[in-house]
Amino acid sequence: MIQLSPRDEFLSSLDKHRRLQLPTAVTGDLCLETGLDVGDGARTMYRPGRQHSSYVYSVAQRFPDEWFGAIFVVFPLLASLYGARPKIRKSSARRNGICLYLNSRAIVLFKHKSLGLPVGECSRIASIPRFVRNAGDVGLQRFVEGFQYADGSFVGGTSPCIRLTTSSVKA
């Protein structure tokens, strides 16, 4: 099992107050959640390091198609990994989605600095992070499971298959 070194300086006073926890090892659940993140997640830093800065990690799902998974799969996974209950809101009428999000400096910095995931506009960049590749077959399988949940579909008919689609400029 690959060990991680989450740093205490990532924790804001709000993170400490909520007793937020960061994963200390690469587990199947972390790889699964990273697959979801690469497919449907976003990490945003607004005015980092300044007074009134904002750090948001969110996972967006389509509504009503994916609300069941958002409530019964994604919500408990995030709560278990980070020890904080995500907030849920409906996104704009134009996007017709449901969004789970955590306002947390520690999670955004952990994902960016420890796991190597980009911050900001990243919907056009999808690749398997190095820590997942180093985790072996189980980590890779769980990552693909999460990515399939985010950007995959099941196609029936005479030749049923699982299809993964992404608009990523990387393949």
Side-chain angles (χ1 to χ4, degrees), residues 21 23 30 43 66 72 74 93 112 126 158 160 165:
Q21 62 193 29
L30 181 62
R43 290 151 307 284
E66 297 174 334
F72 295 108
V74 181
H112 181 56
T158 57
T165 57

Side-chain angles (χ1 to χ4, degrees), residues 11 20 31 44 56 66 74 80 88 97 102 104 109 111 144 147:
L11 296 169
L20 187 102
C31 292
T44 307
V56 180
E66 297 174 334
V74 181
S80 169
I88 300 173
L102 288 158
S104 170
L109 292 179
K111 289 178 148 298
V144 170
F147 190 71

Side-chain angles (χ1 to χ4, degrees), residues 75-89:
F75 185 98
L77 180 64
L78 294 176
S80 169
L81 275 175
Y82 301 112
R85 295 170 50 93
K87 295 179 182 173
I88 300 173
R89 67 176 163 81

Side-chain angles (χ1 to χ4, degrees), residues 125-165:
I125 301 170
S127 63
I128 299 170
R130 179 176 287 127
F131 81 92
V132 172
R133 285 181 273 157
N134 293 341
D137 289 345
V138 172
L140 189 58
Q141 290 166 0
R142 294 299 302 271
F143 174 84
V144 170
E145 178 185 349
F147 190 71
Q148 189 282 327
Y149 180 79
D151 284 347
S153 59
F154 298 100
V155 180
T158 57
S159 301
C161 67
I162 297 173
R163 180 180 297 154
L164 290 173
T165 57

